[in-house]
Every structure is written in C-alpha cells, then in structure tokens.
Amino acid sequence: MADLKTTFCGFALDNPFILASGPLSYSAEGIIRATKAGAAAVVTKTIRTTAAINPKPHMVLSGKNSLINSEQWSDYPPERWIKEEIPRAKDAGVKCLIASIIAGNDDPDEFLSLAKPIEEAGADMIEAANSSYIEVGKLLDMVKPIKKELKIPVIVKISNNWKNAAELTERLAQSGFDAITVMDGMGPTTRFDLRTGKPLVGGYGGSGHITGSTIFPFALQLVRSIAFNYKNDIMGLGGITYPSDAMEMLMAGASACGVCSSVIINGVDYFSKLIEGLDKGLEKYGYNSVKEIIGKSLQYREVDFDYKSENFKFYPEKCSNCRRCVTVCAYCARTLELGFMHVNPIECRSCGLCFTACPTNAISML
C-alpha cells in the first residue's frame, strides 16, 4: 500500500481528502459522518453573523457529475455553531475541523467577531471567504486582522471569478496567511425545466454557481498557475470526482484535495472509494506516497510539448477493440482491423485525442 499521508497547515492528515464547505457539513452530525466515512478534515458550511434563508430549490444536477447551486451560507446562526456544533464535532473525535466564515458587506470587524469565538469553540483552522466576489486584494486586507488575533491557521479562499487571481501569488506569499483554498464554484449559470421553461433553481434570477466535474480543468489550471510561485499549502478544490483527479490535483501543486460535489452526488461513503482508488492509482503508476507526487507537474513550466507522429505507439495486447480511437479521429487518419492499427502519417495531425480517449492505454504518444 502507498503512504497516503500529507500535511496541511502543519496538521498531519491520514489522506489528502478534505470535505469542502457545503451541504454535507451543515452541522456536527454531517461533519462527524464525513469523518467516519474517511475525510481527513472537514470544512464547515460557511458561517455568517445571520442565518441564511436559502431559495427553494437551490441545488440541481447539471450532467452526471456536476451541480448548479444557488444556496447561500449556513442556515444556523453563529451562536449555534459556537455553542453546539463545533464543540460536539470535536468531542466526537473530529481531528481537523476548519471553520468557513464570511462577513456581511465584507466587513473586517465582522470577520473578527466571528473568528475569535469560533477559535475558542475548538476550530482548528479558519477559512475566510468573501460574500460578493470582490477583488482578492481587498479580501486580503480585510482578513489581515484575523491573522493577527488568532493562534490557529488562517486560510484564504480564492475564486476563479477574479480575473487576476493567479497573478496575486506575491501578495499571498507576503500576507502571512497559512494557506489558500483554490477555488470556488463558477458562474453564474442556469438550467431550465423543458416542460415550462422555468429555471430549475430559485433565487438570483434563476441562476447559481456550477461545481463538480465541469469545473475541474479550470481548478487544476488555477492551482498550477498559483503553485509555481506560492510555496505555502494549497487546498485544491473544484470538480475532483475520481481518484485520478486527485492525483492530477496533487501534481498541480495542491497538498490536500477539497471534495464536495462528488460526495453529495455519490453519497458520503464515496470517500472510501476515493481513498482506495488513490492508493491503487499510486501503485499503478509506481509511486510510493502522496508526497512523492505533490507538485510533480511544476517541473514542466517551459517544456515544448511538440509530440511528433513518429512517437505514436500502439500496444495490441492492451487493445479491447472498442474502436474509440477510430471514432474520435476527426481526420479519418487511422484504421483498426484484426488487432492491427494503421495510421496515415499525411492525414494525422498528432492532435492527441486518440490516446486520451483510449480506455485501456493501448495508445501512447509520449
């Protein structure tokens, strides 16, 4: 078995999977359930000074592995979190509880009024988000008082909706914050009921933010672009659905993997499948530990990815004859007959789709 341990803000985690802030961490009960299912840490549903009144409905599927969500923050007031939910979760043995907070109008005093008592209630870290997707530099300025007053680590949550998020690594590095979470959902987005034309989610004019597998490539790129220059811990969040996604996120520079939509859609016990699959994936590709692959992709920042047609290799013993490679070849450059593949070197543009579409890794262009 591979060593799945990692560290995040100085905390030793048994595996890299963290339940991100969302519906499943709505209470101590949800937090405890996720921990028992295998989550190494849990981020609470976002806490604000007033309880949310969420639109109904506020969460719908968009494709097999993505959600559109128009919910707001926790529908529990902060007093309940401070007096009941956080202490109960810690008393039940939750090792690493991260409290997510926002402030109305992004008020720095309100941030601090929440953070201090939440720390005293037993939270192990604070994750500071913002309620209006303002420019990230302003968020950093507003959250600085928290860092000065608290003893526990402070994480800043980054949104891909900020145009310059990846360019602010120097400010992030100098700010003194312990880590960042990258990234939030993307939007606005919407879907309609085909019978009526009515939006499927309520609130915000029938729109919400999309999460899940749809946004994974965006999250992966943002994590990688930040990790080139940001050396503190990163929680990679956004669309991790399969164990292979987690491997890619770690290779992009994340030291932990935030998971939300996939465990909502597949049930909280899906954590065990992610953990088992990550162990098998590491073994399959010859890795001994999670730490061995963290940041592995960062060495290729300036590499010229010019794959030549002469690099093409076909392994007939792996071929299942599903013919996906022939189907997806837009240039009709290949044929597959009786276990033999022929590629027309004139028509082949080395686009690469065939080897990423092959389910058995019978094709290589590396």
Side-chain angles (χ1 to χ4, degrees):
M1 292 181 60
D3 184 357
L4 302 186
K5 293 183 177 63
T6 187
T7 57
F8 186 74
C9 292
F11 276 72
L13 304 182
D14 292 335
N15 64 71
F17 295 109
I18 296 176
L19 176 62
S21 179
L24 286 174
S25 56
Y26 70 99
S27 68
E29 182 179 354
I31 293 168
I32 294 166
R33 189 159 60 109
T35 301
K36 289 181 178 179
V42 177
V43 186
T44 69
K45 196 166 175 64
T46 301
I47 304 166
R48 190 172 173 177
T49 54
T50 56
I53 301 176
N54 287 307
K56 299 177 182 179
H58 58 255
M59 188 162 49
V60 298
L61 279 171
S62 180
K64 183 179 178 181
N65 292 307
S66 293
L67 299 170
I68 292 179
N69 194 334
S70 64
E71 70 172 349
Q72 301 181 73
W73 51 91
S74 174
D75 52 11
Y76 290 164
E79 294 79 16
R80 177 164 175 171
W81 281 101
I82 293 164
K83 295 178 181 179
E84 299 178 35
E85 306 301 330
I86 293 174
R88 181 183 163 200
K90 292 300 295 182
D91 289 344
V94 175
K95 294 180 180 179
C96 186
L97 188 150
I98 305 169
S100 172
I101 63 172
I102 58 172
N105 299 316
D106 301 296
D107 182 352
D109 292 332
E110 191 170 325
F111 266 116
L112 190 56
S113 72
L114 287 169
K116 194 65 177 176
I118 285 174
E119 177 187 40
E120 293 169 354
D124 299 295
M125 305 181 203
I126 295 289
E127 181 184 79
N130 70 321
S131 60
S132 58
Y133 292 95
I134 58 166
E135 196 273 331
V136 67
K138 184 178 179 183
L139 176 63
L140 294 178
D141 292 337
M142 289 188 300
V143 181
K144 280 181 181 178
I146 297 177
K147 181 59 184 171
K148 293 179 181 178
E149 294 292 330
L150 300 186
K151 297 178 181 178
I152 59 177
V154 177
I155 308 162
V156 174
K157 194 170 189 178
I158 300 297
S159 169
N160 195 51
N161 293 316
W162 290 315
K163 295 180 180 179
N164 60 344
E167 300 172 5
L168 291 166
T169 52
E170 185 175 349
R171 285 201 64 184
L172 288 165
Q174 294 174 353
S175 64
F177 299 112
D178 301 278
I180 56 175
T181 297
V182 184
M183 59 181 209
D184 214 330
M186 298 178 66
T189 56
T190 193
R191 297 296 295 266
F192 303 114
D193 186 322
L194 296 180
R195 295 166 297 180
T196 65
K198 187 177 182 179
L200 288 173
V201 294
Y204 305 104
S207 68
H209 283 74
I210 193 164
T211 62
S213 61
T214 298
I215 71 169
F216 177 68
F218 296 95
L220 196 66
Q221 168 60 21
L222 187 56
V223 167
R224 183 171 182 262
S225 62
I226 289 175
F228 279 125
N229 298 306
Y230 183 73
K231 302 309 178 186
N232 285 9
D233 286 329
I234 298 173
M235 185 195 308
L237 168 64
I240 294 175
T241 305
Y242 305 107
S244 58
D245 296 339
M247 289 183 67
E248 287 191 67
M249 187 62 79
L250 294 164
M251 287 180 172
S255 47
C257 297
V259 183
C260 187
S261 295
S262 63
V263 286
I264 294 174
I265 294 169
N266 296 293
V268 72
D269 289 336
Y270 192 61
F271 271 114
S272 63
K273 294 184 179 180
L274 289 171
I275 294 166
E276 180 182 358
L278 177 60
D279 181 31
K280 290 181 178 179
L282 290 169
E283 182 179 357
K284 176 180 178 180
Y285 291 101
Y287 301 113
N288 296 312
S289 69
V290 159
K291 292 182 179 179
E292 191 176 338
I293 67 171
I294 292 175
K296 189 173 179 66
S297 77
L298 302 180
Q299 63 184 304
Y300 298 110
R301 186 171 191 171
E302 303 297 337
V303 171
D304 180 11
F305 297 101
D306 188 12
Y307 299 141
K308 304 295 184 182
S309 59
E310 54 264 31
N311 293 336
F312 173 83
K313 293 179 182 175
F314 174 61
Y315 303 94
E317 69 277 7
K318 295 182 179 181
C319 179
S320 64
N321 201 38
C322 71
R323 303 182 65 80
R324 283 291 294 154
C325 56
V326 176
T327 300
V328 303
C329 184
Y331 306 106
C332 299
R334 67 186 62 250
T335 59
L336 179 62
E337 299 293 340
L338 300 175
F340 176 77
M341 181 174 289
H342 173 72
V343 179
N344 185 329
I346 297 175
E347 296 298 335
C348 179
R349 271 73 166 181
S350 300
C351 73
L353 185 56
C354 59
F355 84 91
T356 57
C358 179
T360 61
N361 297 316
I363 302 172
S364 174
M365 289 185 67
L366 301 180

